Amino acid sequence: METTTAEHIIWQEQDLIRNEFPILKQTVNGRPLVYLDNGATTQKPVSVIRSMQEYYTMYNSNVHRGVHTLSQQATAAYEAARHQVAAFIGAHHHEVVFTKGTTDAINLVANGFRKDILKEGDEVIISAMEHHSNIVPWQLACEEKNAKLKVIPITDKGELEMDVFRSMLNPRVKLVSVAWVSNTMGTVNPVKEIIELAHEQGIPVMLDAAQAAAHIPIRVHELDVDFLALSGHKLFGPTGIGILYGKESWLDKLPPYQGGGDMIKHVTFEKTTYSEPPLKFEAGTPAICEAIGLGAAVAWASKLGIHRIGAYEHQLTEYAIAQLKAIPGLRFIGEAEHRSGAISFLVGDTHPSDVGVLLDQQGIAVRTGHHCTQPLCDRFGIPGTVRASLAVYNNTEDIDRLVEGVHKAVTLLG
Amino acid sequence: MMTIKEQQDRIIEDFEVFGDWMEKYEYIIQLGKDLPLIDPKYKTDDNLIRGCQSKVWLHAELTDGKLVFTADSDAVITKGLVGLVIQVLSGQTPKDIAEAEIYFIDAIGLTSHLSPTRSNGLLSMLKQIKLYAIGYQAKSLQN
Ligand SMILES: Cc1ncc(COP(=O)(O)O)c(C=O)c1O
């Protein structure tokens, strides 16, 4: 395979990278595991696992509360993780709010817009390829305020209809919230252009970066995006942690999401004053260990270089598409020009769940179903897809096994 | 008419001949394809058991004191498994069905298909069959 110098390094490093993921060295149903469900969650390198084990073995303690040594260590590590994540996305650390994940981050913003910003007749724009977690929070907010949820349509290839998007922008629109990368089709949306167009009319933009974070370098200040959400567990980190990036001015403006400890400056029964962001949004004891794990995860990914990971995966995706294409009757759902991560397909009139069951029998983990994008599946008139989603530790052997597995499944389903 | 236990033991015996997973699934898939399981007029939303992965339709009818089930699924492997369940439980009395212990799925190594995370509708279908049986049993006790 032809590679440029920088990319070449990852092909050579492949064995080493893979070696850092202990979970991959096992057999499932008698075959070596092929893990191609990274869109759902990625596996974790030893450095992440070790960081979490160290926390519980050496300095478990509550943060922001104690004068004792362990509490100071825990607080320092928790805040260091915030700095690491901030550096990873090109933000200031006080613009990074720890959340439970992408869903939680979107709900935080949707809750603030519902309370203080959306009025009757206003509009929120999302797209036809959104994950349910970037649909339902806005639906709830709009329903309550009698605002309208508007949906950017997509082409048959699975790309946003940008002309339609342009025509949807008007002064009633209070926010545009779209996925950077589609979890079902792997489409990479033109987020820079979306942000520029919306900003021309003074409309803020939120990006759901859940599927972008492990594949595409994120520079929030360069993008000038107003809000961005991501999940640690899709980025080689633990579950239960993610972030909301918000521009300082927006985090100041949004009301607190939940009340409790850690988020207050002063409490009397008459009136409570809140901490400055980000702590304003982090009520209660946070997921300390998970935040530290996420810090280790972004450190791991940064050391490898997200742009190099992306370049490597791009070649692997092209290889996978070329190989899968040769399977008779196979059609792709989503054929965007710019893509990343996920490859969705159907074969003939076989049901995706049947193919998934037969791949599992061969030790191959893919996801089947609607991938929490039911409106998108309705758009294509399909019950779901078979989705293989790649990460940097996948290699051409994984793809070959997948192709062989699909062949076998289709033969059996004949 | 074989009892529920005899039906299950027969299936377990049938499955013993299969050498590997492929033969086993080939058989299930064939079963799924061969069985015209349900009258289309019963493929209604009322009879629909929605799994996340695949759908199952189940219709129950009491004839001569026996509970007869027909069913269908949009996924062929699920349909084959549904067919096996029906072989075991259809045509039995509500009492026998309500009291039956279903062990054959375990014994033929297909337990994973019953796990809630598979969410193919099979587990919900088994529960629904039991509910029908208990319901009809209660009714017959009242009469
Ligand atoms: C595009 C997208 N948005 C949001 C989410 C939700 O992420 P989480 O479940 O980690 O909150 C996912 C995860 O599946 C996703 O793929």
Side-chain angles (χ1 to χ4, degrees), chain B residues 23-89:
Chain B
E23 289 180 14
K24 190 153 82 180
Y25 277 92
E26 242 177 319
Y27 177 78
I28 296 168
I29 289 163
Q30 205 49 50
L31 203 62
K33 283 186 182 161
D34 288 349
L35 291 179
L37 288 169
I38 199 169
D39 189 322
K41 75 172 180 234
Y42 296 131
K43 259 176 101 164
T44 60
D45 274 359
D46 276 351
N47 284 336
L48 177 62
I49 298 167
R50 216 181 272 275
C52 194
Q53 297 282 338
S54 50
K55 299 174 185 169
V56 173
W57 290 266
L58 176 71
H59 172 70
E61 228 169 71
L62 192 70
T63 350
D64 300 333
K66 304 281 171 66
L67 208 41
V68 176
F69 295 103
T70 48
D72 197 3
S73 172
D74 59 345
V76 71
I77 293 176
T78 311
K79 195 172 168 190
L81 296 166
V82 161
L84 286 172
V85 172
I86 289 204
Q87 284 180 18
V88 170
L89 293 173

Coordinates of all heavy atoms in Angstrom, one line a residue, chain B residues 23-89:
Chain B
E23 N -23.6 -25.5 10.4 CA -24.7 -26.4 10.2 C -25.9 -26.1 11.0 O -27.0 -26.2 10.5 CB -24.2 -27.9 10.5 CG -23.2 -28.4 9.5 CD -22.7 -29.8 9.9 OE1 -23.4 -30.5 10.7 OE2 -21.7 -30.2 9.3
K24 N -25.6 -25.7 12.3 CA -26.7 -25.3 13.2 C -27.5 -24.1 12.6 O -28.7 -24.2 12.5 CB -26.1 -25.0 14.5 CG -27.0 -24.8 15.6 CD -26.4 -25.1 17.0 CE -25.6 -23.9 17.5 NZ -24.9 -24.2 18.8
Y25 N -26.8 -23.1 12.2 CA -27.5 -21.9 11.7 C -28.1 -22.2 10.3 O -29.1 -21.6 10.0 CB -26.5 -20.7 11.7 CG -26.5 -20.0 13.0 CD1 -25.5 -20.4 13.9 CD2 -27.4 -19.1 13.4 CE1 -25.5 -19.8 15.2 CE2 -27.4 -18.5 14.6 CZ -26.4 -18.9 15.5 OH -26.4 -18.3 16.8
E26 N -27.5 -23.0 9.5 CA -28.1 -23.4 8.3 C -29.5 -24.0 8.5 O -30.4 -23.7 7.8 CB -27.2 -24.5 7.6 CG -26.6 -24.0 6.3 CD -25.7 -25.0 5.6 OE1 -24.9 -25.6 6.4 OE2 -25.8 -25.2 4.4
Y27 N -29.5 -24.8 9.5 CA -30.8 -25.5 9.8 C -31.8 -24.5 10.3 O -33.0 -24.5 9.8 CB -30.6 -26.5 10.9 CG -31.8 -27.2 11.4 CD1 -32.4 -28.2 10.7 CD2 -32.4 -26.9 12.6 CE1 -33.6 -28.9 11.1 CE2 -33.5 -27.5 13.1 CZ -34.1 -28.5 12.3 OH -35.3 -29.1 12.8
I28 N -31.4 -23.6 11.2 CA -32.3 -22.5 11.7 C -32.8 -21.6 10.6 O -34.0 -21.3 10.5 CB -31.6 -21.7 12.8 CG1 -31.3 -22.6 14.0 CG2 -32.5 -20.5 13.2 CD1 -30.4 -22.0 15.0
I29 N -31.9 -21.3 9.7 CA -32.2 -20.4 8.6 C -33.2 -21.1 7.7 O -34.2 -20.5 7.2 CB -31.0 -20.0 7.8 CG1 -30.1 -19.0 8.7 CG2 -31.3 -19.3 6.5 CD1 -28.7 -18.8 8.2
Q30 N -33.0 -22.4 7.4 CA -33.9 -23.1 6.6 C -35.3 -23.2 7.2 O -36.3 -23.0 6.5 CB -33.3 -24.6 6.3 CG -33.8 -25.2 5.1 CD -33.7 -24.3 3.9 OE1 -32.6 -23.8 3.6 NE2 -34.8 -24.1 3.1
L31 N -35.3 -23.4 8.5 CA -36.5 -23.5 9.2 C -37.3 -22.1 9.1 O -38.5 -22.1 8.8 CB -36.2 -23.7 10.7 CG -37.3 -24.3 11.6 CD1 -37.7 -25.7 11.1 CD2 -36.7 -24.4 13.0
G32 N -36.5 -21.1 9.2 CA -37.1 -19.7 9.1 C -37.7 -19.5 7.7 O -38.7 -18.9 7.5
K33 N -37.0 -20.1 6.7 CA -37.5 -19.9 5.3 C -38.7 -20.7 5.0 O -39.6 -20.3 4.2 CB -36.4 -20.2 4.3 CG -35.3 -19.1 4.2 CD -34.4 -19.5 3.1 CE -33.3 -18.4 3.1 NZ -32.1 -18.9 2.4
D34 N -38.7 -21.9 5.6 CA -39.7 -22.9 5.2 C -41.1 -22.6 5.8 O -42.1 -23.0 5.3 CB -39.3 -24.3 5.6 CG -38.2 -24.8 4.7 OD1 -37.9 -24.2 3.7 OD2 -37.6 -25.9 5.0
L35 N -41.1 -22.0 7.0 CA -42.3 -21.9 7.7 C -43.1 -20.7 7.3 O -42.8 -19.5 7.6 CB -42.0 -21.8 9.2 CG -41.5 -23.1 9.8 CD1 -41.2 -23.0 11.3 CD2 -42.4 -24.3 9.6
P36 N -44.2 -20.9 6.7 CA -45.2 -19.8 6.5 C -46.0 -19.7 7.7 O -46.9 -20.4 7.9 CB -46.0 -20.3 5.3 CG -45.9 -21.8 5.3 CD -44.8 -22.2 6.2
L37 N -45.5 -18.8 8.6 CA -45.9 -19.0 10.0 C -47.2 -18.3 10.3 O -47.9 -18.7 11.3 CB -44.8 -18.5 10.9 CG -43.6 -19.4 11.0 CD1 -42.5 -18.7 11.8 CD2 -44.0 -20.7 11.7
I38 N -47.6 -17.3 9.6 CA -48.7 -16.5 10.1 C -49.6 -16.0 9.0 O -49.1 -15.7 7.9 CB -48.2 -15.3 11.0 CG1 -49.3 -14.7 11.9 CG2 -47.6 -14.2 10.1 CD1 -48.7 -13.7 12.9
D39 N -50.9 -16.0 9.2 CA -51.8 -15.4 8.3 C -51.6 -13.9 8.2 O -51.5 -13.2 9.3 CB -53.2 -15.7 8.8 CG -54.3 -15.3 7.8 OD1 -54.1 -14.3 7.1 OD2 -55.3 -16.1 7.7
P40 N -51.3 -13.3 7.0 CA -51.0 -11.9 6.9 C -52.0 -11.0 7.7 O -51.6 -10.0 8.2 CB -51.1 -11.6 5.4 CG -50.8 -13.0 4.8 CD -51.4 -14.0 5.7
K41 N -53.2 -11.5 7.8 CA -54.2 -10.6 8.5 C -53.8 -10.4 10.0 O -54.4 -9.5 10.6 CB -55.6 -11.0 8.2 CG -56.0 -12.2 9.0 CD -57.5 -12.5 8.8 CE -58.0 -13.7 9.6 NZ -58.7 -14.7 8.9
Y42 N -53.0 -11.3 10.5 CA -52.6 -11.2 11.9 C -51.3 -10.4 12.1 O -50.8 -10.3 13.2 CB -52.5 -12.6 12.5 CG -53.8 -13.3 12.6 CD1 -53.9 -14.6 12.2 CD2 -55.0 -12.7 13.1 CE1 -55.1 -15.3 12.2 CE2 -56.2 -13.3 13.1 CZ -56.3 -14.6 12.7 OH -57.5 -15.3 12.8
K43 N -50.7 -10.0 10.9 CA -49.5 -9.3 11.1 C -49.8 -7.8 11.3 O -49.4 -6.9 10.6 CB -48.6 -9.4 9.8 CG -47.5 -10.4 9.9 CD -46.8 -10.6 8.7 CE -45.5 -9.9 8.6 NZ -44.6 -10.4 7.6
T44 N -50.5 -7.6 12.4 CA -50.9 -6.2 12.8 C -50.0 -5.6 13.8 O -49.2 -6.4 14.5 CB -52.3 -6.3 13.4 OG1 -52.3 -7.1 14.5 CG2 -53.3 -6.9 12.4
D45 N -50.1 -4.3 14.0 CA -49.3 -3.7 15.1 C -49.7 -4.2 16.5 O -48.8 -4.2 17.4 CB -49.5 -2.2 15.0 CG -48.6 -1.5 14.0 OD1 -47.8 -2.3 13.4 OD2 -48.7 -0.3 13.8
D46 N -50.9 -4.6 16.6 CA -51.3 -5.2 17.9 C -50.5 -6.4 18.3 O -50.3 -6.7 19.4 CB -52.8 -5.5 17.9 CG -53.7 -4.3 18.2 OD1 -53.1 -3.3 18.6 OD2 -54.9 -4.4 18.1
N47 N -50.2 -7.2 17.3 CA -49.5 -8.5 17.5 C -48.0 -8.3 17.4 O -47.3 -9.3 17.4 CB -50.0 -9.5 16.4 CG -51.3 -10.1 16.8 OD1 -51.7 -10.0 18.0 ND2 -52.1 -10.5 15.8
L48 N -47.5 -7.1 17.2 CA -46.1 -6.8 17.0 C -45.3 -6.7 18.3 O -45.7 -6.0 19.2 CB -45.9 -5.5 16.2 CG -44.5 -5.1 15.9 CD1 -43.8 -6.1 15.0 CD2 -44.5 -3.7 15.2
I49 N -44.3 -7.5 18.3 CA -43.3 -7.4 19.5 C -42.1 -6.8 18.9 O -41.4 -7.4 18.1 CB -43.0 -8.8 20.1 CG1 -44.3 -9.4 20.6 CG2 -42.0 -8.7 21.2 CD1 -44.2 -10.9 20.9
R50 N -41.8 -5.6 19.3 CA -40.7 -4.8 18.7 C -39.4 -5.0 19.4 O -39.2 -4.6 20.6 CB -41.1 -3.3 18.8 CG -40.7 -2.5 17.6 CD -41.1 -1.1 17.8 NE -42.4 -0.8 17.3 CZ -42.7 -0.6 16.1 NH1 -41.8 -0.5 15.2 NH2 -44.0 -0.3 15.7
G51 N -38.5 -5.8 18.8 CA -37.2 -5.8 19.3 C -36.4 -4.6 18.7 O -36.9 -4.0 17.8
C52 N -35.2 -4.4 19.3 CA -34.5 -3.2 18.7 C -33.9 -3.7 17.3 O -33.8 -2.9 16.4 CB -33.4 -2.9 19.7 SG -32.6 -1.3 19.3
Q53 N -33.6 -5.0 17.2 CA -32.9 -5.5 16.1 C -33.9 -6.0 15.0 O -33.7 -5.8 13.8 CB -31.9 -6.6 16.5 CG -30.8 -6.1 17.4 CD -29.8 -5.4 16.7 OE1 -29.6 -5.6 15.5 NE2 -29.0 -4.6 17.3
S54 N -34.8 -6.8 15.5 CA -35.8 -7.4 14.5 C -37.2 -7.4 15.1 O -37.3 -7.2 16.3 CB -35.3 -8.8 14.1 OG -35.1 -9.6 15.3
K55 N -38.2 -7.6 14.3 CA -39.5 -7.6 14.8 C -40.1 -9.0 14.8 O -39.8 -9.8 13.9 CB -40.4 -6.7 13.8 CG -40.0 -5.3 13.7 CD -40.8 -4.6 12.6 CE -40.4 -3.2 12.3 NZ -41.0 -2.7 11.1
V56 N -41.0 -9.2 15.7 CA -41.7 -10.5 15.8 C -43.2 -10.2 15.9 O -43.6 -9.4 16.6 CB -41.2 -11.3 17.0 CG1 -42.1 -12.6 17.2 CG2 -39.8 -11.7 16.9
W57 N -44.0 -10.9 15.1 CA -45.4 -10.9 15.2 C -45.9 -12.2 15.8 O -45.4 -13.3 15.4 CB -46.1 -10.7 13.9 CG -45.9 -9.3 13.2 CD1 -46.7 -8.2 13.3 CD2 -44.8 -9.0 12.4 NE1 -46.1 -7.2 12.6 CE2 -45.0 -7.6 12.0 CE3 -43.7 -9.6 11.9 CZ2 -44.1 -6.9 11.2 CZ3 -42.8 -8.9 11.1 CH2 -43.0 -7.6 10.8
L58 N -46.8 -12.1 16.8 CA -47.3 -13.3 17.4 C -48.8 -13.3 17.5 O -49.4 -12.3 18.0 CB -46.7 -13.4 18.8 CG -47.2 -14.6 19.7 CD1 -46.7 -15.9 19.1 CD2 -46.7 -14.4 21.1
H59 N -49.5 -14.4 17.1 CA -50.9 -14.4 17.2 C -51.3 -15.7 17.9 O -50.7 -16.8 17.7 CB -51.5 -14.5 15.8 CG -53.0 -14.7 15.8 ND1 -53.9 -13.8 16.2 CD2 -53.7 -15.8 15.4 CE1 -55.1 -14.3 16.1 NE2 -55.0 -15.5 15.6
A60 N -52.3 -15.6 18.9 CA -52.7 -16.7 19.7 C -54.2 -17.0 19.5 O -54.9 -16.1 19.3 CB -52.4 -16.4 21.1
E61 N -54.5 -18.3 19.4 CA -55.9 -18.7 19.3 C -56.2 -19.9 20.1 O -55.4 -20.8 20.1 CB -56.1 -19.0 17.8 CG -57.3 -18.3 17.2 CD -57.4 -18.5 15.7 OE1 -57.6 -19.6 15.2 OE2 -57.1 -17.5 15.0
L62 N -57.3 -19.9 20.8 CA -57.7 -21.1 21.6 C -58.6 -22.0 20.8 O -59.7 -21.5 20.4 CB -58.3 -20.7 22.9 CG -58.4 -21.8 24.0 CD1 -57.1 -22.2 24.5 CD2 -59.3 -21.3 25.1
T63 N -58.2 -23.2 20.4 CA -59.1 -24.2 19.7 C -59.1 -25.5 20.5 O -58.1 -26.0 20.8 CB -58.6 -24.5 18.3 OG1 -57.5 -23.6 18.0 CG2 -59.7 -24.4 17.3
D64 N -60.3 -25.9 20.8 CA -60.5 -27.2 21.6 C -59.6 -27.3 22.8 O -59.0 -28.3 23.1 CB -60.2 -28.4 20.7 CG -61.1 -28.4 19.5 OD1 -62.2 -27.9 19.5 OD2 -60.7 -29.0 18.4
G65 N -59.6 -26.2 23.5 CA -58.8 -26.2 24.8 C -57.3 -26.1 24.6 O -56.5 -26.2 25.5
K66 N -56.9 -26.0 23.3 CA -55.4 -26.0 23.0 C -55.1 -24.6 22.5 O -55.9 -24.0 21.8 CB -55.0 -27.0 22.0 CG -55.4 -28.4 22.3 CD -54.4 -29.0 23.3 CE -54.8 -30.4 23.9 NZ -54.9 -31.4 22.8
L67 N -53.9 -24.1 22.9 CA -53.5 -22.8 22.5 C -52.6 -22.9 21.3 O -51.6 -23.6 21.3 CB -52.7 -22.1 23.6 CG -52.7 -20.6 23.8 CD1 -54.0 -19.9 23.5 CD2 -52.2 -20.2 25.2
V68 N -53.1 -22.3 20.1 CA -52.3 -22.4 18.9 C -51.7 -21.1 18.6 O -52.3 -20.0 18.5 CB -53.2 -22.9 17.7 CG1 -52.4 -22.9 16.4 CG2 -53.8 -24.3 18.0
F69 N -50.4 -21.1 18.4 CA -49.6 -19.9 18.1 C -49.2 -19.9 16.6 O -48.7 -20.9 16.1 CB -48.4 -19.8 18.9 CG -48.7 -19.6 20.4 CD1 -48.5 -20.7 21.3 CD2 -49.1 -18.4 20.9 CE1 -48.8 -20.5 22.6 CE2 -49.4 -18.2 22.2 CZ -49.3 -19.3 23.1
T70 N -49.3 -18.7 16.0 CA -48.6 -18.5 14.7 C -47.8 -17.2 14.9 O -48.1 -16.3 15.6 CB -49.6 -18.4 13.6 OG1 -50.6 -17.4 13.9 CG2 -50.2 -19.7 13.2
A71 N -46.7 -17.2 14.1 CA -45.8 -16.0 14.3 C -44.9 -15.8 13.1 O -44.9 -16.6 12.2 CB -44.9 -16.3 15.5
D72 N -44.3 -14.7 13.1 CA -43.4 -14.3 12.0 C -42.3 -13.3 12.5 O -42.5 -12.8 13.5 CB -44.2 -13.7 10.8 CG -43.4 -13.7 9.5 OD1 -42.3 -14.2 9.5 OD2 -44.0 -13.2 8.5
S73 N -41.3 -13.2 11.7 CA -40.3 -12.2 12.0 C -39.7 -11.6 10.7 O -39.7 -12.3 9.7 CB -39.1 -12.8 12.8 OG -38.1 -11.8 13.0
D74 N -39.2 -10.4 10.7 CA -38.6 -9.9 9.5 C -37.1 -10.3 9.4 O -36.6 -10.2 8.3 CB -38.6 -8.3 9.5 CG -38.0 -7.7 10.7 OD1 -37.7 -8.4 11.7 OD2 -37.7 -6.5 10.7
A75 N -36.5 -10.9 10.4 CA -35.2 -11.5 10.3 C -35.3 -13.0 10.2 O -36.0 -13.6 11.1 CB -34.3 -11.0 11.4
V76 N -34.6 -13.6 9.3 CA -34.8 -15.1 9.1 C -34.3 -15.9 10.2 O -34.9 -17.0 10.6 CB -34.2 -15.5 7.7 CG1 -32.7 -15.5 7.7 CG2 -34.8 -16.8 7.3
I77 N -33.2 -15.5 10.9 CA -32.7 -16.3 12.0 C -33.7 -16.2 13.2 O -34.0 -17.3 13.8 CB -31.3 -15.9 12.4 CG1 -30.3 -16.2 11.3 CG2 -30.8 -16.6 13.7 CD1 -28.9 -15.7 11.6
T78 N -34.1 -15.1 13.4 CA -35.2 -14.9 14.5 C -36.4 -15.7 14.1 O -37.0 -16.4 15.0 CB -35.6 -13.4 14.6 OG1 -34.4 -12.6 14.7 CG2 -36.4 -13.2 15.9
K79 N -36.7 -15.7 12.9 CA -37.9 -16.5 12.4 C -37.7 -18.0 12.6 O -38.6 -18.7 13.1 CB -38.2 -16.2 10.9 CG -39.5 -16.6 10.5 CD -39.8 -16.1 9.1 CE -41.1 -16.8 8.5 NZ -41.2 -16.6 7.1
G80 N -36.5 -18.5 12.4 CA -36.2 -19.9 12.6 C -36.3 -20.2 14.1 O -36.9 -21.3 14.5
L81 N -35.8 -19.3 14.9 CA -35.9 -19.6 16.4 C -37.3 -19.5 16.9 O -37.8 -20.3 17.7 CB -35.1 -18.5 17.1 CG -33.5 -18.6 16.8 CD1 -32.9 -17.3 17.3 CD2 -32.9 -19.8 17.5
V82 N -38.1 -18.6 16.3 CA -39.5 -18.5 16.6 C -40.2 -19.8 16.2 O -41.1 -20.3 17.0 CB -40.1 -17.2 15.9 CG1 -41.6 -17.3 15.8 CG2 -39.7 -15.9 16.6
G83 N -39.8 -20.3 15.1 CA -40.4 -21.6 14.6 C -40.2 -22.7 15.6 O -41.0 -23.5 15.9
L84 N -38.9 -22.7 16.2 CA -38.6 -23.8 17.2 C -39.5 -23.6 18.4 O -40.0 -24.6 18.9 CB -37.2 -23.7 17.6 CG -36.1 -24.2 16.6 CD1 -34.7 -23.9 17.1 CD2 -36.3 -25.7 16.3
V85 N -39.7 -22.4 18.9 CA -40.5 -22.1 20.0 C -41.9 -22.6 19.8 O -42.6 -23.2 20.6 CB -40.4 -20.6 20.4 CG1 -41.4 -20.3 21.5 CG2 -39.0 -20.3 20.9
I86 N -42.4 -22.3 18.6 CA -43.7 -22.7 18.2 C -43.9 -24.2 18.2 O -44.9 -24.8 18.6 CB -44.1 -22.0 16.9 CG1 -44.3 -20.5 17.3 CG2 -45.4 -22.6 16.3 CD1 -45.2 -19.7 16.4
Q87 N -42.9 -24.9 17.6 CA -42.9 -26.4 17.6 C -43.1 -26.9 19.0 O -43.8 -27.9 19.2 CB -41.6 -26.9 17.0 CG -41.5 -26.8 15.5 CD -40.1 -27.4 15.1 OE1 -39.5 -28.2 15.8 NE2 -39.8 -27.1 13.9
V88 N -42.5 -26.3 20.0 CA -42.5 -26.7 21.3 C -43.8 -26.4 22.0 O -44.4 -27.3 22.7 CB -41.3 -26.2 22.1 CG1 -41.4 -26.5 23.6 CG2 -40.0 -26.8 21.6
L89 N -44.3 -25.2 21.8 CA -45.4 -24.7 22.7 C -46.8 -24.7 22.0 O -47.8 -24.7 22.7 CB -45.1 -23.4 23.2 CG -43.9 -23.3 24.2 CD1 -43.5 -21.9 24.6 CD2 -44.2 -24.1 25.5

